[in-house]
Every structure is written in structure tokens, then in C-alpha cells.
Amino acid sequence: MKTAKAATGKTPAAIVWLRQDLRLADNPALQAACRHGGPVVPVFVWAPEEEGAWPPGSASRWWLHQSLEQLAAACDTAGSELVIRRGSSIAELRRVAKAAGANAVFWNRRYQPAALARDRQVEEALRTAGLQTESHNGALLHEPWTIQNKSGRPFQVFTPFWRTCLNSGEPAAPLPAPRMLMPPSRRPTSLPLMVLGLEAAHSWTDGLRAAWHPGSVGANAELRRFLRQDLESYDEGRNRPDQPGTSRLSAHLHFGEISPRQVWHAVKGFAESRSLPAAVWRRWQFLTELGWREFAHHLLFHFPHTPEQPLRPEFAGFPWRKNSTWLRAWQRGRTGYPLVDAGMRELWSTGWMHNRIRMVAASFLVKNLLIPWQEGARWFWDTLVDADLANNTLGWQWTAGCGADAAPFFRIFNPVNQGAKFDPNGGYVRRWVPELARLPAAWMHRPWETPPSVLATAGVELGRTYPRPIVSPFISRELALEAYQRMRRKPRIAGHQSPAD
């Protein structure tokens, strides 16, 4: 792009509008702003009201504060200043452009429905104001509209989607971080980060602070740890919540502190250092998890109604229950099922939950309690540090059986069997449900069946120190299947069809 020069002969400044791309390395919009040839002004505008029905939740806001703090330090080291504003994105970007003498604004695209609508408005308003605009892909390996099935339509089944992605060519190599960012001669004013009020004023965040190191430095350290310790055993280790074995990169990816291209090429470099052929490492389960992230964004882009409504329209008539007591018990980890309770308490304490346990806890809510999946999605949205609209929607609709490539509704995770298989020694439950810590492993996942003498020795009194199950696993399963059959017997809404595979 050619840039106009001011009367002085100097190239005007360029703004890089940062949102969920809080990094300097492999940031296409930032690189484009640098190529503009003049000063670069990094800008973050806090505008939660522009996120529609899904403004960042409490845990996400905490993470965002820490990430912006780290990004501001990185910008300062590079020679520039992160400008922080609060208000309308259009108004604040125009104000910053005027103050800095900028004639162009660059950003990386987002794919959530409200963000897409907002970005179109921003682009039109800035161009009307005489500013150049340019957007880039800084969040995905493949943009949602570039991957289609043979009929030219979006995919709704993961396996052919990911196969098409893998056959579409290698992701481009990550871009280096700029060695220096030239500041504008007229520096726009910036709000102190604390003014945004992102951090909660209570001790709930102590657990988050102890568990996480937001920012690009923390993201890259986590990636190096994972490559060194857990990548080669990931296929087995990813299912064991009692052991470290996952990458813990989900929040870093959501906030754009590290890009999927950086992750992909780091895995590629690790594999090539061990002389592994591409045909082997490209099929690693960890990269497939990156594929699920891509699939989630693909679905959200093409089916923007799905955060609130089921993709399979027949599920709009599912006979869900409303039971605030059960919902509260689930949220607080007081269901009487140790594996579910451990997961919900881990979530409350750290803002994160092991993926295997996410599936078990979600299945329990929607299939054993018959509480709408939207209730679970809202709770996860507020409490997860990695709350991502695409991933959250895919996960809950998958569990509820009402989304693309979903688990059949009759697939109901049994918390007892899942615990015996994936937490066989009870280490995960002992950590997060300490009132059961002295219970023998043989009884850890079914304390209601434990002999009274064993309970007494372990200091467990059901109904007092630990709750009895709020529902029967067998009766609730039968009721769920009965509800599913009632839904299937209902006549289809005229003109609506379930999505084809």
C-alpha cells in the first residue's frame, strides 16, 4: 500500500488496533503498520458493550488486565507506548489518529458475530473520515471462508474439515517481532490500566494469580515446557487430570499472546529435530486439537446464531428442566459426584478445568440434570480464563448433542466410570475435594457406596462433610433418554431440517 506524506515530507503515523492479538511477534497487523514507513501507535480500546451478548467474563477480565500490563511493557521496550482508551472504538480510534497525526489503521480480524458487525462499522467510519484501513489474519491457520466441502459449503463434520485444512498447504512461517517501534512525535494520551476496572477487588483472583503467567513471555515459556515434557506423551497424558500432560495454552491462544502459527511451527521444529517425517507429526493429537480450534471458529463464522441456539433445530423443543438448586450445586462443586465436584472447584479456584473433566461436568449438567446447555455455557464464560465464544459454543453443543459433529445424546458420561479410568488413584479428587482425601482409591469415586466403617475412618460423613448425590446416576440417565425420545417424537418445524453430515 502506498502511503501519503505530510507536507513536511515525513510519513504519517499508523495505528495498530489491538484486541485479541496481544503480542509483538507474528502479528500481521503490526508488521503492516511498520511497513507503512512512519511511527507506529499501538492502541487498545476497552469497549465491552460492543461485544453483544458476550462481553468478557470475570476471569477473562482478570487475564486481560495482566496481558495488557505485559504488552505495555513490551511496547515500551520496543520504543513505543501502548495507548489505552475506554469508549466507542470508532470515536477513540479517530481521536488517537488525530492526536498522533496518523492516516492509517491496521488490525487483525476477529470472527465472533458482534465483532464482525462492529469491525464493518469501524472500517466504514474510518474510511469516511479519510483514514486508510487494512485487516489481516492473525488468529487462525485458515480463515473460515477458505475451507469448504466439495459442494462449496461449510463443513459440519470435523474429520473431513481437518483433512481439508491439512491438504491446503503448510501455514506460513511466523513473523518476527519488530526490533523497534518508532513513536509519534505527538504522543496521544493514554488511560492508566487500573481505570478499566478489569481486576476484581476480592481474593478470588489469588488462585488465578498463583496458577497463571499471562502474556507472551508466559505463553512461550508454557509452550517450551510442553514440548520438552509432555508433547510426546500427549495422546495418553491429555486424558489424565491427576497428572500434568496438557499444553495449558488455550488462554494464551485466545488472547493472542501466541499465535497458532507459532505453535504449529514449534511442534514442526521439535519433530524435525527428532527426524520425524511430516506424515507422522502432522497427525499428532495435539495438532488435531489446534484443528478443533479452527473448526470451532469455522462453525461460529458460518452459523452465528449458535452461541444461544442449537445448530440442530429439533433441539429447540428439548424438554429441559429449570432447577436453580441443582444448578447452584453444580456450579459450586457440591453435586455428590467427586469427579464432577473436583472439576468445578478447580474451575472456581484457577479459572481452568482439564478438558476430560470439562466433558464429564458438562455431560452431568445437560444429561443427568437436564439443565439447558446455555446455562453451562454462561457459567464457563464467566469463570474460565480461556473463555472463547467459538470453543465454548462448540464444546457445549457437542456435549448436548445439538451441534455439528456432536456426540450422540445417548452418550452420557458416567462420573464413576470416568473417575475410575482417568483418575484411578484419586489424586485429582484428593486435591480439589480435600474432605475426601483420606478415602481409599477404591471408593473415591463412589463414596455413597462406601462401607460406613471406611467412611468413618476417612472422616467422611455423607450429608454433612460431603453431600450425597443430588440425583441417581441410573435414574437420571433413563430420564434423559426418555426426554430425548419425547423430543424426537415431536413433529419437525416446517422448513427446518437438521444439518447434514
Side-chain angles (χ1 to χ4, degrees), residues 52-89:
W54 299 92
S58 300
S60 293
R61 291 178 185 224
W62 174 86
W63 188 290
L64 177 60
H65 179 102
Q66 321 308 316
S67 190
L68 287 172
E69 196 170 55
Q70 297 299 315
L71 180 63
C75 289
D76 184 66
T77 299
S80 190
E81 178 186 8
L82 176 64
V83 176
I84 296 175
R85 293 294 182 96
R86 169 71 172 90
S88 159
S89 295

Side-chain angles (χ1 to χ4, degrees), residues 120-384:
R120 286 192 292 268
Q121 295 170 356
V122 169
E123 183 173 24
E124 181 179 354
L126 295 182
R127 288 185 174 179
T128 300
L131 293 164
Q132 302 171 23
T133 63
E134 192 173 293
S135 65
H136 296 263
N137 172 23
L140 298 173
L141 299 176
H142 303 279
E143 304 230 56
W145 54 87
T146 64
I147 304 297
Q148 300 176 335
N149 63 22
K150 293 180 180 179
S151 300
R153 298 177 59 81
F155 281 98
Q156 295 185 32
V157 177
F158 173 73
T159 299
F161 166 82
W162 186 230
R163 183 168 55 244
T164 302
C165 289
L166 292 175
N167 292 334
S168 297
E170 185 88 343
L175 301 165
R179 286 182 290 181
M180 181 192 137
L181 296 175
M182 184 192 310
S185 57
R186 293 179 291 162
R187 296 202 176 198
T189 58
S190 178
L191 293 174
L193 182 55
M194 292 299 297
V195 171
L196 303 186
L198 299 173
E199 284 200 297
H202 53 68
S203 60
W204 171 67
T205 60
D206 290 347
L208 307 184
R209 202 175 304 277
W212 301 102
H213 299 285
S216 287
V217 173
N220 283 281
E222 203 70 77
L223 176 59
R224 290 192 298 271
R225 174 204 61 79
F226 175 68
L227 294 177
R228 184 175 62 252
Q229 297 178 6
D230 299 315
L231 175 59
E232 291 183 287
S233 59
Y234 179 79
D235 285 14
E236 298 78 28
R238 69 192 179 99
N239 282 315
R240 291 292 298 270
D242 58 332
Q243 300 174 4
T246 61
S247 73
R248 293 172 62 88
L249 287 171
S250 51
H252 297 294
L253 282 163
H254 169 73
F255 285 96
E257 298 165 351
I258 194 169
S259 74
R261 294 197 308 195
Q262 288 174 295
V263 176
W264 176 281
H265 283 278
V267 171
K268 176 184 177 182
F270 175 88
E272 290 179 344
S273 71
R274 284 154 175 74
S275 301
L276 296 173
V280 172
W281 63 262
R282 281 162 61 95
R283 290 185 174 85
W284 278 352
Q285 183 60 42
F286 176 65
L287 289 182
T288 302
E289 298 303 324
L290 274 186
W292 277 102
R293 180 178 181 271
E294 297 281 311
F295 188 48
H297 283 81
H298 178 86
L299 291 172
L300 181 61
F301 177 82
H302 290 290
F303 306 100
H305 64 284
T306 51
E308 289 87 19
Q309 301 171 38
L311 180 62
R312 298 178 181 271
E314 63 267 29
F315 273 86
F318 191 89
W320 300 108
R321 289 172 173 164
K322 289 186 178 180
N323 190 315
S324 59
T325 301
W326 285 358
L327 177 61
R328 182 72 173 176
W330 177 81
Q331 291 171 340
R332 296 303 182 191
R334 302 286 296 171
T335 68
Y337 288 88
L339 193 67
V340 173
D341 293 343
M344 299 307 295
R345 296 186 195 186
E346 179 187 26
L347 172 61
W348 184 253
S349 177
T350 71
W352 187 83
M353 190 195 303
H354 189 280
N355 188 59
R356 167 60 57 174
I357 310 305
R358 293 189 198 200
M359 292 190 290
V360 175
S363 175
F364 185 82
L365 181 74
V366 300
K367 294 178 178 176
N368 293 98
L369 302 184
L370 290 180
I371 290 175
W373 60 270
Q374 293 93 333
E375 293 282 5
R378 287 283 180 190
W379 184 252
F380 274 23
W381 183 257
D382 193 48
T383 54
L384 281 170

